Amino acid sequence: MDRLRQLKSHLTSSAGIVALEAKRPDDIVITMAVRSPLCKSKKGAFKDTRSDELLTSVFKAVIKKSRIDPALIGDICVGEVLASGAGYEARGAALAAGIPISTPVQVINRFCSSGLMAVTTIGNQIKAGQIEIGLAVGIESMTMNSDRGAQKPSDKILAHGTARDCKEPMGWTSENVANDFGVAREEMDLWAATSFQRASHAQLSGYFKDEIVPIEAFNAPAGDEKRERVWVTEDDGIRHGTTAEALGKIRAAFPQWGGKTTGGNASQITDGAGAVLLMRRSKAEELGLKVLGKWVTTAVVGLQPRIMGIGPSIAIPRVLEMAGITINDVDLFEVNEAFASMMVYCIKTLGLDKDKVNVNGGAIALATGARQIATGLAELRRRKQKVLVTSMCIGTGMGAAAVFVNEDLD
């Protein structure tokens, strides 16, 4: 029976890949996937650049890189979590960057998946025939908009055993994952060191150059008479030379909840952005644009808020089933690395090949969001491979995952 199941799995997988790689006029394709440099919050190259200034610069860079008339963009969706006036900021930045007044802008917030949700929203709008071309952006300036957590909930929510967990800090959820599922501090530090080492190797080898667009920023705070424009071209948060031994010496960030999570094995606090331009394949061909890849589908799932970090372990199987493929069909995984605890758990639970996961580092060394798509597709091009799965956990107890296919195999 086991042999029959194995054969059935291989046959299903083969058929799924053939269908996935087929090219159709109505495919939702990607003609541009780029990101800004990713810089340390409050210390890095974007620390003196307001979030609306950063977004304006990102829009300008995207217009230049996209090779299309911005008037053709039917809608823009910006994923942004922390800015209190995100809607005002996004529309104003688009207009200031030279995007026509006729191009609308919307903002979406589903925590760490906001960039992917922007891509999914634009993809679905194109699929529904509402627009022909759309731009998805994910951005965060954690320097200018720090995470202040949830407001105090109502008594009714506080009285609900599960709902009240939605307000709890992310560090608490990381410790819950480590404690509930037996993830050791040593395993967490080892994965975090791997993330930094892979990101270091990628940066020093020049792998990120194809996905990064230079961003105009400022070298002093607004109002400073010495303030000047500068160009930022490289990530500045990667800790070169990081080892598991060194990470093991960092004190626990949350000793009251378990003491395994630290500033060294959790995601960085980062300023940066990513952008993806999508359209139907037929439109790309009409405009003479090179197709880099295609978006296949996205899955979003819910789970207990107290262990929100394990979201990818549920979302990834769901999206693979939706796409008709198996884990073995995937060439690369980009999983967010909110905390090393959730990464260790998800890799073990799904049986992922570590050599396929975050091969150029993850959010512990870089950042999450739309950045994962730019990084994943660029690495697939370099390797001449095809299938990418991006995934992330989501605050308040959710997970998301998406499947993409690289078509730039030249």
mmCIF file of all heavy atoms in Angstrom, residues 35-39 45-62 78 80 89-90 93-94 96-97 137-145 213-218 227 229-230 232 270-274:
data_model
loop_
_atom_site.group_PDB
_atom_site.id
_atom_site.type_symbol
_atom_site.label_atom_id
_atom_site.label_comp_id
_atom_site.label_asym_id
_atom_site.label_seq_id
_atom_site.Cartn_x
_atom_site.Cartn_y
_atom_site.Cartn_z
ATOM 1 N N ARG A 35 13.332 45.371 -4.577
ATOM 2 C CA ARG A 35 13.252 45.839 -3.204
ATOM 3 C C ARG A 35 14.250 46.965 -2.980
ATOM 4 O O ARG A 35 15.209 47.134 -3.754
ATOM 5 C CB ARG A 35 13.515 44.701 -2.223
ATOM 6 C CG ARG A 35 14.953 44.151 -2.244
ATOM 7 C CD ARG A 35 15.138 43.146 -1.128
ATOM 8 N NE ARG A 35 16.453 42.529 -1.083
ATOM 9 C CZ ARG A 35 17.491 43.012 -0.411
ATOM 10 N NH1 ARG A 35 17.384 44.170 0.230
ATOM 11 N NH2 ARG A 35 18.635 42.357 -0.373
ATOM 12 N N SER A 36 14.018 47.698 -1.926
ATOM 13 C CA SER A 36 14.979 48.695 -1.485
ATOM 14 C C SER A 36 16.083 48.002 -0.703
ATOM 15 O O SER A 36 15.946 46.830 -0.322
ATOM 16 C CB SER A 36 14.296 49.718 -0.577
ATOM 17 O OG SER A 36 14.058 49.149 0.704
ATOM 18 N N PRO A 37 17.173 48.693 -0.404
ATOM 19 C CA PRO A 37 18.069 48.188 0.628
ATOM 20 C C PRO A 37 17.279 48.066 1.936
ATOM 21 O O PRO A 37 16.314 48.798 2.163
ATOM 22 C CB PRO A 37 19.147 49.277 0.729
ATOM 23 C CG PRO A 37 19.115 49.967 -0.597
ATOM 24 C CD PRO A 37 17.669 49.947 -1.006
ATOM 25 N N LEU A 38 17.677 47.148 2.786
ATOM 26 C CA LEU A 38 17.020 46.947 4.077
ATOM 27 C C LEU A 38 17.969 47.437 5.163
ATOM 28 O O LEU A 38 19.098 46.956 5.277
ATOM 29 C CB LEU A 38 16.683 45.471 4.257
ATOM 30 C CG LEU A 38 15.793 44.918 3.141
ATOM 31 C CD1 LEU A 38 15.709 43.397 3.212
ATOM 32 C CD2 LEU A 38 14.414 45.539 3.187
ATOM 33 N N CYS A 39 17.504 48.402 5.936
ATOM 34 C CA CYS A 39 18.405 49.121 6.842
ATOM 35 C C CYS A 39 17.918 49.069 8.283
ATOM 36 O O CYS A 39 16.718 49.037 8.556
ATOM 37 C CB CYS A 39 18.529 50.577 6.383
ATOM 38 S SG CYS A 39 19.173 50.724 4.696
ATOM 39 N N ALA A 45 20.710 53.483 7.338
ATOM 40 C CA ALA A 45 20.779 54.547 6.330
ATOM 41 C C ALA A 45 19.457 55.278 6.120
ATOM 42 O O ALA A 45 19.446 56.367 5.550
ATOM 43 C CB ALA A 45 21.259 53.961 5.003
ATOM 44 N N PHE A 46 18.333 54.701 6.570
ATOM 45 C CA PHE A 46 17.027 55.363 6.399
ATOM 46 C C PHE A 46 16.525 56.025 7.685
ATOM 47 O O PHE A 46 15.386 56.486 7.743
ATOM 48 C CB PHE A 46 15.975 54.344 5.933
ATOM 49 C CG PHE A 46 16.196 53.820 4.538
ATOM 50 C CD1 PHE A 46 16.007 52.475 4.267
ATOM 51 C CD2 PHE A 46 16.598 54.663 3.504
ATOM 52 C CE1 PHE A 46 16.197 51.977 2.975
ATOM 53 C CE2 PHE A 46 16.795 54.175 2.221
ATOM 54 C CZ PHE A 46 16.599 52.836 1.953
ATOM 55 N N LYS A 47 17.362 56.107 8.707
ATOM 56 C CA LYS A 47 16.898 56.598 10.003
ATOM 57 C C LYS A 47 16.474 58.066 9.972
ATOM 58 O O LYS A 47 15.700 58.511 10.829
ATOM 59 C CB LYS A 47 17.977 56.406 11.074
ATOM 60 C CG LYS A 47 19.236 57.243 10.886
ATOM 61 C CD LYS A 47 20.249 56.971 11.983
ATOM 62 C CE LYS A 47 21.534 57.734 11.776
ATOM 63 N NZ LYS A 47 21.363 59.197 11.754
ATOM 64 N N ASP A 48 16.967 58.844 9.023
ATOM 65 C CA ASP A 48 16.607 60.260 8.924
ATOM 66 C C ASP A 48 15.625 60.537 7.790
ATOM 67 O O ASP A 48 15.384 61.689 7.436
ATOM 68 C CB ASP A 48 17.864 61.116 8.731
ATOM 69 C CG ASP A 48 18.790 61.061 9.938
ATOM 70 O OD1 ASP A 48 18.274 61.170 11.063
ATOM 71 O OD2 ASP A 48 20.003 60.877 9.759
ATOM 72 N N THR A 49 15.071 59.471 7.221
ATOM 73 C CA THR A 49 14.123 59.596 6.113
ATOM 74 C C THR A 49 12.726 59.251 6.610
ATOM 75 O O THR A 49 12.494 58.156 7.124
ATOM 76 C CB THR A 49 14.522 58.656 4.962
ATOM 77 O OG1 THR A 49 15.867 58.947 4.561
ATOM 78 C CG2 THR A 49 13.592 58.825 3.773
ATOM 79 N N ARG A 50 11.809 60.191 6.495
ATOM 80 C CA ARG A 50 10.434 59.941 6.913
ATOM 81 C C ARG A 50 9.829 58.799 6.108
ATOM 82 O O ARG A 50 10.258 58.527 4.988
ATOM 83 C CB ARG A 50 9.592 61.202 6.717
ATOM 84 C CG ARG A 50 9.918 62.358 7.634
ATOM 85 C CD ARG A 50 9.273 63.633 7.123
ATOM 86 N NE ARG A 50 7.872 63.424 6.758
ATOM 87 C CZ ARG A 50 6.828 63.836 7.480
ATOM 88 N NH1 ARG A 50 7.038 64.504 8.603
ATOM 89 N NH2 ARG A 50 5.589 63.618 7.077
ATOM 90 N N SER A 51 8.817 58.146 6.657
ATOM 91 C CA SER A 51 8.224 57.017 5.947
ATOM 92 C C SER A 51 7.558 57.440 4.647
ATOM 93 O O SER A 51 7.602 56.700 3.648
ATOM 94 C CB SER A 51 7.224 56.284 6.846
ATOM 95 O OG SER A 51 6.261 57.162 7.379
ATOM 96 N N ASP A 52 6.968 58.648 4.597
ATOM 97 C CA ASP A 52 6.367 59.090 3.334
ATOM 98 C C ASP A 52 7.442 59.474 2.315
ATOM 99 O O ASP A 52 7.254 59.291 1.108
ATOM 100 C CB ASP A 52 5.375 60.237 3.551
ATOM 101 C CG ASP A 52 5.973 61.447 4.237
ATOM 102 O OD1 ASP A 52 7.124 61.385 4.715
ATOM 103 O OD2 ASP A 52 5.272 62.483 4.317
ATOM 104 N N GLU A 53 8.580 59.945 2.798
ATOM 105 C CA GLU A 53 9.705 60.224 1.897
ATOM 106 C C GLU A 53 10.277 58.929 1.336
ATOM 107 O O GLU A 53 10.618 58.838 0.151
ATOM 108 C CB GLU A 53 10.793 60.990 2.644
ATOM 109 C CG GLU A 53 10.401 62.404 3.036
ATOM 110 C CD GLU A 53 11.415 63.068 3.944
ATOM 111 O OE1 GLU A 53 12.108 62.360 4.714
ATOM 112 O OE2 GLU A 53 11.520 64.307 3.895
ATOM 113 N N LEU A 54 10.376 57.907 2.190
ATOM 114 C CA LEU A 54 10.869 56.605 1.735
ATOM 115 C C LEU A 54 9.941 56.024 0.687
ATOM 116 O O LEU A 54 10.397 55.526 -0.363
ATOM 117 C CB LEU A 54 10.993 55.656 2.932
ATOM 118 C CG LEU A 54 11.440 54.224 2.641
ATOM 119 C CD1 LEU A 54 12.801 54.200 1.962
ATOM 120 C CD2 LEU A 54 11.472 53.404 3.939
ATOM 121 N N LEU A 55 8.648 56.094 0.923
ATOM 122 C CA LEU A 55 7.688 55.554 -0.030
ATOM 123 C C LEU A 55 7.711 56.332 -1.343
ATOM 124 O O LEU A 55 7.626 55.737 -2.428
ATOM 125 C CB LEU A 55 6.280 55.560 0.576
ATOM 126 C CG LEU A 55 5.167 54.922 -0.262
ATOM 127 C CD1 LEU A 55 5.527 53.513 -0.696
ATOM 128 C CD2 LEU A 55 3.852 54.923 0.516
ATOM 129 N N THR A 56 7.855 57.649 -1.262
ATOM 130 C CA THR A 56 7.970 58.456 -2.483
ATOM 131 C C THR A 56 9.184 58.022 -3.296
ATOM 132 O O THR A 56 9.105 57.854 -4.523
ATOM 133 C CB THR A 56 8.082 59.953 -2.131
ATOM 134 O OG1 THR A 56 6.930 60.354 -1.397
ATOM 135 C CG2 THR A 56 8.195 60.806 -3.392
ATOM 136 N N SER A 57 10.306 57.811 -2.623
ATOM 137 C CA SER A 57 11.518 57.373 -3.313
ATOM 138 C C SER A 57 11.353 55.990 -3.924
ATOM 139 O O SER A 57 11.843 55.724 -5.024
ATOM 140 C CB SER A 57 12.705 57.372 -2.341
ATOM 141 O OG SER A 57 13.017 58.675 -1.911
ATOM 142 N N VAL A 58 10.648 55.126 -3.215
ATOM 143 C CA VAL A 58 10.390 53.781 -3.745
ATOM 144 C C VAL A 58 9.533 53.862 -5.003
ATOM 145 O O VAL A 58 9.828 53.215 -6.015
ATOM 146 C CB VAL A 58 9.706 52.901 -2.675
ATOM 147 C CG1 VAL A 58 9.180 51.606 -3.295
ATOM 148 C CG2 VAL A 58 10.670 52.598 -1.546
ATOM 149 N N PHE A 59 8.479 54.674 -4.972
ATOM 150 C CA PHE A 59 7.639 54.847 -6.159
ATOM 151 C C PHE A 59 8.459 55.375 -7.345
ATOM 152 O O PHE A 59 8.309 54.910 -8.484
ATOM 153 C CB PHE A 59 6.486 55.801 -5.868
ATOM 154 C CG PHE A 59 5.315 55.175 -5.169
ATOM 155 C CD1 PHE A 59 4.661 55.841 -4.135
ATOM 156 C CD2 PHE A 59 4.842 53.931 -5.541
ATOM 157 C CE1 PHE A 59 3.563 55.278 -3.493
ATOM 158 C CE2 PHE A 59 3.751 53.357 -4.911
ATOM 159 C CZ PHE A 59 3.110 54.029 -3.876
ATOM 160 N N LYS A 60 9.330 56.341 -7.107
ATOM 161 C CA LYS A 60 10.162 56.883 -8.183
ATOM 162 C C LYS A 60 11.064 55.808 -8.781
ATOM 163 O O LYS A 60 11.206 55.704 -10.005
ATOM 164 C CB LYS A 60 11.010 58.041 -7.658
ATOM 165 C CG LYS A 60 10.243 59.330 -7.395
ATOM 166 C CD LYS A 60 11.184 60.423 -6.890
ATOM 167 C CE LYS A 60 10.438 61.733 -6.680
ATOM 168 N NZ LYS A 60 11.339 62.802 -6.161
ATOM 169 N N ALA A 61 11.663 55.007 -7.905
ATOM 170 C CA ALA A 61 12.550 53.944 -8.379
ATOM 171 C C ALA A 61 11.786 52.896 -9.178
ATOM 172 O O ALA A 61 12.274 52.383 -10.198
ATOM 173 C CB ALA A 61 13.240 53.283 -7.183
ATOM 174 N N VAL A 62 10.576 52.608 -8.739
ATOM 175 C CA VAL A 62 9.743 51.612 -9.419
ATOM 176 C C VAL A 62 9.322 52.105 -10.801
ATOM 177 O O VAL A 62 9.342 51.344 -11.781
ATOM 178 C CB VAL A 62 8.515 51.279 -8.553
ATOM 179 C CG1 VAL A 62 7.459 50.552 -9.356
ATOM 180 C CG2 VAL A 62 8.930 50.452 -7.349
ATOM 181 N N VAL A 78 -0.726 49.172 -1.314
ATOM 182 C CA VAL A 78 0.432 49.323 -0.438
ATOM 183 C C VAL A 78 0.184 48.575 0.872
ATOM 184 O O VAL A 78 -0.773 48.871 1.581
ATOM 185 C CB VAL A 78 0.722 50.809 -0.140
ATOM 186 C CG1 VAL A 78 1.905 50.938 0.827
ATOM 187 C CG2 VAL A 78 1.009 51.567 -1.432
ATOM 188 N N GLU A 80 1.172 48.173 4.500
ATOM 189 C CA GLU A 80 1.890 48.931 5.537
ATOM 190 C C GLU A 80 1.173 48.715 6.862
ATOM 191 O O GLU A 80 -0.048 48.830 6.943
ATOM 192 C CB GLU A 80 1.931 50.419 5.172
ATOM 193 C CG GLU A 80 2.836 51.230 6.075
ATOM 194 C CD GLU A 80 3.115 52.633 5.543
ATOM 195 O OE1 GLU A 80 2.432 53.073 4.590
ATOM 196 O OE2 GLU A 80 4.022 53.287 6.091
ATOM 197 N N GLU A 89 -0.557 58.786 3.511
ATOM 198 C CA GLU A 89 0.850 58.686 3.133
ATOM 199 C C GLU A 89 1.017 58.047 1.756
ATOM 200 O O GLU A 89 1.780 58.529 0.918
ATOM 201 C CB GLU A 89 1.574 57.866 4.206
ATOM 202 C CG GLU A 89 3.061 57.759 4.058
ATOM 203 C CD GLU A 89 3.675 57.034 5.246
ATOM 204 O OE1 GLU A 89 3.896 57.670 6.288
ATOM 205 O OE2 GLU A 89 3.933 55.819 5.122
ATOM 206 N N ALA A 90 0.310 56.953 1.522
ATOM 207 C CA ALA A 90 0.468 56.210 0.275
ATOM 208 C C ALA A 90 -0.007 57.010 -0.933
ATOM 209 O O ALA A 90 0.669 57.068 -1.965
ATOM 210 C CB ALA A 90 -0.285 54.885 0.365
ATOM 211 N N ALA A 93 2.389 60.039 -1.478
ATOM 212 C CA ALA A 93 3.685 59.626 -2.014
ATOM 213 C C ALA A 93 3.591 59.266 -3.490
ATOM 214 O O ALA A 93 4.485 59.585 -4.285
ATOM 215 C CB ALA A 93 4.222 58.443 -1.215
ATOM 216 N N ALA A 94 2.513 58.590 -3.876
ATOM 217 C CA ALA A 94 2.331 58.228 -5.285
ATOM 218 C C ALA A 94 2.265 59.468 -6.161
ATOM 219 O O ALA A 94 2.907 59.553 -7.216
ATOM 220 C CB ALA A 94 1.077 57.378 -5.454
ATOM 221 N N ALA A 96 3.358 62.518 -5.423
ATOM 222 C CA ALA A 96 4.628 63.239 -5.369
ATOM 223 C C ALA A 96 5.697 62.582 -6.233
ATOM 224 O O ALA A 96 6.611 63.251 -6.727
ATOM 225 C CB ALA A 96 5.108 63.333 -3.921
ATOM 226 N N ALA A 97 5.571 61.277 -6.426
ATOM 227 C CA ALA A 97 6.551 60.543 -7.229
ATOM 228 C C ALA A 97 6.288 60.660 -8.729
ATOM 229 O O ALA A 97 7.092 60.194 -9.538
ATOM 230 C CB ALA A 97 6.543 59.073 -6.830
ATOM 231 N N VAL A 137 3.041 47.022 -3.338
ATOM 232 C CA VAL A 137 4.188 47.512 -2.581
ATOM 233 C C VAL A 137 4.038 47.097 -1.122
ATOM 234 O O VAL A 137 2.936 47.119 -0.579
ATOM 235 C CB VAL A 137 4.295 49.053 -2.667
ATOM 236 C CG1 VAL A 137 5.444 49.572 -1.803
ATOM 237 C CG2 VAL A 137 4.471 49.503 -4.111
ATOM 238 N N GLY A 138 5.131 46.721 -0.517
ATOM 239 C CA GLY A 138 5.167 46.514 0.923
ATOM 240 C C GLY A 138 6.223 47.427 1.503
ATOM 241 O O GLY A 138 7.337 47.498 0.970
ATOM 242 N N ILE A 139 5.891 48.165 2.556
ATOM 243 C CA ILE A 139 6.846 49.134 3.109
ATOM 244 C C ILE A 139 6.669 49.251 4.615
ATOM 245 O O ILE A 139 5.567 49.093 5.138
ATOM 246 C CB ILE A 139 6.674 50.526 2.449
ATOM 247 C CG1 ILE A 139 7.742 51.502 2.977
ATOM 248 C CG2 ILE A 139 5.267 51.078 2.666
ATOM 249 C CD1 ILE A 139 7.838 52.785 2.192
ATOM 250 N N GLU A 140 7.768 49.517 5.287
ATOM 251 C CA GLU A 140 7.712 49.818 6.710
ATOM 252 C C GLU A 140 8.914 50.673 7.092
ATOM 253 O O GLU A 140 10.047 50.374 6.678
ATOM 254 C CB GLU A 140 7.736 48.530 7.530
ATOM 255 C CG GLU A 140 6.916 48.578 8.794
ATOM 256 C CD GLU A 140 5.422 48.739 8.533
ATOM 257 O OE1 GLU A 140 4.819 47.870 7.881
ATOM 258 O OE2 GLU A 140 4.863 49.756 8.988
ATOM 259 N N SER A 141 8.654 51.724 7.829
ATOM 260 C CA SER A 141 9.723 52.487 8.486
ATOM 261 C C SER A 141 9.515 52.313 9.976
ATOM 262 O O SER A 141 8.697 53.001 10.584
ATOM 263 C CB SER A 141 9.684 53.970 8.114
ATOM 264 O OG SER A 141 10.609 54.688 8.933
ATOM 265 N N MET A 142 10.252 51.389 10.554
ATOM 266 C CA MET A 142 10.098 51.147 11.978
ATOM 267 C C MET A 142 10.851 52.183 12.807
ATOM 268 O O MET A 142 10.692 52.258 14.024
ATOM 269 C CB MET A 142 10.518 49.724 12.309
ATOM 270 C CG MET A 142 9.666 48.691 11.575
ATOM 271 S SD MET A 142 9.851 46.996 12.160
ATOM 272 C CE MET A 142 8.899 47.037 13.670
ATOM 273 N N THR A 143 11.671 52.984 12.105
ATOM 274 C CA THR A 143 12.270 54.137 12.772
ATOM 275 C C THR A 143 11.200 55.172 13.080
ATOM 276 O O THR A 143 11.091 55.689 14.194
ATOM 277 C CB THR A 143 13.361 54.772 11.891
ATOM 278 O OG1 THR A 143 14.435 53.850 11.720
ATOM 279 C CG2 THR A 143 13.899 56.049 12.513
ATOM 280 N N MET A 144 10.404 55.485 12.065
ATOM 281 C CA MET A 144 9.406 56.541 12.195
ATOM 282 C C MET A 144 8.106 56.048 12.833
ATOM 283 O O MET A 144 7.376 56.820 13.449
ATOM 284 C CB MET A 144 9.104 57.136 10.814
ATOM 285 C CG MET A 144 10.317 57.778 10.164
ATOM 286 S SD MET A 144 10.893 59.210 11.111
ATOM 287 C CE MET A 144 12.525 59.465 10.396
ATOM 288 N N ASN A 145 7.807 54.756 12.664
ATOM 289 C CA ASN A 145 6.538 54.216 13.156
ATOM 290 C C ASN A 145 6.810 52.949 13.957
ATOM 291 O O ASN A 145 6.697 51.838 13.445
ATOM 292 C CB ASN A 145 5.609 53.900 11.980
ATOM 293 C CG ASN A 145 5.448 55.073 11.043
ATOM 294 O OD1 ASN A 145 5.020 56.144 11.436
ATOM 295 N ND2 ASN A 145 5.805 54.876 9.774
ATOM 296 N N VAL A 213 16.972 48.131 -5.824
ATOM 297 C CA VAL A 213 16.999 49.385 -6.573
ATOM 298 C C VAL A 213 17.530 50.481 -5.645
ATOM 299 O O VAL A 213 17.158 50.535 -4.469
ATOM 300 C CB VAL A 213 15.603 49.777 -7.117
ATOM 301 C CG1 VAL A 213 15.190 48.842 -8.237
ATOM 302 C CG2 VAL A 213 14.553 49.773 -6.015
ATOM 303 N N PRO A 214 18.419 51.345 -6.131
ATOM 304 C CA PRO A 214 18.928 52.435 -5.290
ATOM 305 C C PRO A 214 17.790 53.360 -4.855
ATOM 306 O O PRO A 214 16.887 53.654 -5.635
ATOM 307 C CB PRO A 214 19.906 53.166 -6.220
ATOM 308 C CG PRO A 214 20.270 52.160 -7.274
ATOM 309 C CD PRO A 214 19.037 51.328 -7.468
ATOM 310 N N ILE A 215 17.837 53.791 -3.627
ATOM 311 C CA ILE A 215 16.779 54.622 -3.055
ATOM 312 C C ILE A 215 17.361 55.953 -2.566
ATOM 313 O O ILE A 215 18.369 55.973 -1.851
ATOM 314 C CB ILE A 215 16.078 53.897 -1.896
ATOM 315 C CG1 ILE A 215 15.379 52.629 -2.384
ATOM 316 C CG2 ILE A 215 15.084 54.826 -1.199
ATOM 317 C CD1 ILE A 215 14.254 52.857 -3.376
ATOM 318 N N GLU A 216 16.697 57.036 -2.931
ATOM 319 C CA GLU A 216 17.105 58.350 -2.473
ATOM 320 C C GLU A 216 16.621 58.562 -1.043
ATOM 321 O O GLU A 216 15.443 58.361 -0.730
ATOM 322 C CB GLU A 216 16.508 59.411 -3.391
ATOM 323 C CG GLU A 216 17.017 60.810 -3.129
ATOM 324 C CD GLU A 216 16.414 61.816 -4.097
ATOM 325 O OE1 GLU A 216 15.173 61.879 -4.163
ATOM 326 O OE2 GLU A 216 17.173 62.516 -4.775
ATOM 327 N N ALA A 217 17.523 58.949 -0.165
ATOM 328 C CA ALA A 217 17.193 59.149 1.251
ATOM 329 C C ALA A 217 17.826 60.453 1.731
ATOM 330 O O ALA A 217 18.279 61.270 0.917
ATOM 331 C CB ALA A 217 17.694 57.955 2.065
ATOM 332 N N PHE A 218 17.849 60.639 3.054
ATOM 333 C CA PHE A 218 18.407 61.863 3.627
ATOM 334 C C PHE A 218 19.391 61.522 4.738
ATOM 335 O O PHE A 218 19.279 60.490 5.403
ATOM 336 C CB PHE A 218 17.287 62.756 4.175
ATOM 337 C CG PHE A 218 16.394 63.314 3.106
ATOM 338 C CD1 PHE A 218 15.237 62.637 2.738
ATOM 339 C CD2 PHE A 218 16.724 64.493 2.456
ATOM 340 C CE1 PHE A 218 14.411 63.134 1.749
ATOM 341 C CE2 PHE A 218 15.905 64.996 1.461
ATOM 342 C CZ PHE A 218 14.744 64.322 1.100
ATOM 343 N N ARG A 227 20.718 69.033 6.164
ATOM 344 C CA ARG A 227 20.106 67.868 5.545
ATOM 345 C C ARG A 227 20.352 67.837 4.042
ATOM 346 O O ARG A 227 20.097 68.812 3.342
ATOM 347 C CB ARG A 227 18.603 67.861 5.816
ATOM 348 C CG ARG A 227 17.917 66.523 5.566
ATOM 349 C CD ARG A 227 16.431 66.611 5.843
ATOM 350 N NE ARG A 227 15.851 65.312 6.136
ATOM 351 C CZ ARG A 227 14.689 64.893 5.655
ATOM 352 N NH1 ARG A 227 13.957 65.694 4.901
ATOM 353 N NH2 ARG A 227 14.235 63.699 5.955
ATOM 354 N N ARG A 229 20.353 65.100 0.348
ATOM 355 C CA ARG A 229 19.928 63.840 -0.257
ATOM 356 C C ARG A 229 21.131 62.925 -0.453
ATOM 357 O O ARG A 229 22.211 63.378 -0.842
ATOM 358 C CB ARG A 229 19.247 64.098 -1.611
ATOM 359 C CG ARG A 229 17.967 64.929 -1.479
ATOM 360 C CD ARG A 229 17.376 65.244 -2.848
ATOM 361 N NE ARG A 229 16.264 66.167 -2.739
ATOM 362 C CZ ARG A 229 15.008 65.801 -2.529
ATOM 363 N NH1 ARG A 229 14.713 64.520 -2.423
ATOM 364 N NH2 ARG A 229 14.044 66.699 -2.421
ATOM 365 N N VAL A 230 20.917 61.643 -0.189
ATOM 366 C CA VAL A 230 21.958 60.637 -0.402
ATOM 367 C C VAL A 230 21.327 59.423 -1.063
ATOM 368 O O VAL A 230 20.109 59.230 -1.001
ATOM 369 C CB VAL A 230 22.625 60.220 0.933
ATOM 370 C CG1 VAL A 230 23.388 61.384 1.542
ATOM 371 C CG2 VAL A 230 21.587 59.675 1.916
ATOM 372 N N VAL A 232 21.082 55.316 -1.202
ATOM 373 C CA VAL A 232 21.321 54.100 -0.427
ATOM 374 C C VAL A 232 21.227 52.916 -1.375
ATOM 375 O O VAL A 232 20.232 52.758 -2.096
ATOM 376 C CB VAL A 232 20.294 53.956 0.712
ATOM 377 C CG1 VAL A 232 20.590 52.706 1.545
ATOM 378 C CG2 VAL A 232 20.304 55.200 1.599
ATOM 379 N N THR A 270 13.526 46.751 11.039
ATOM 380 C CA THR A 270 14.078 47.187 9.758
ATOM 381 C C THR A 270 13.242 48.273 9.096
ATOM 382 O O THR A 270 12.030 48.320 9.242
ATOM 383 C CB THR A 270 14.176 45.965 8.807
ATOM 384 O OG1 THR A 270 14.997 44.964 9.416
ATOM 385 C CG2 THR A 270 14.765 46.337 7.461
ATOM 386 N N ASP A 271 13.926 49.131 8.343
ATOM 387 C CA ASP A 271 13.281 50.079 7.433
ATOM 388 C C ASP A 271 13.529 49.599 6.001
ATOM 389 O O ASP A 271 14.672 49.284 5.649
ATOM 390 C CB ASP A 271 13.877 51.484 7.581
ATOM 391 C CG ASP A 271 13.776 52.028 8.995
ATOM 392 O OD1 ASP A 271 12.875 51.609 9.725
ATOM 393 O OD2 ASP A 271 14.601 52.884 9.356
ATOM 394 N N GLY A 272 12.479 49.556 5.180
ATOM 395 C CA GLY A 272 12.685 49.136 3.800
ATOM 396 C C GLY A 272 11.379 48.872 3.081
ATOM 397 O O GLY A 272 10.288 49.071 3.633
ATOM 398 N N ALA A 273 11.493 48.416 1.836
ATOM 399 C CA ALA A 273 10.305 48.210 0.998
ATOM 400 C C ALA A 273 10.590 47.203 -0.104
ATOM 401 O O ALA A 273 11.746 46.919 -0.432
ATOM 402 C CB ALA A 273 9.860 49.538 0.380
ATOM 403 N N GLY A 274 9.497 46.675 -0.671
ATOM 404 C CA GLY A 274 9.574 45.812 -1.842
ATOM 405 C C GLY A 274 8.428 46.157 -2.774
ATOM 406 O O GLY A 274 7.408 46.711 -2.328
#
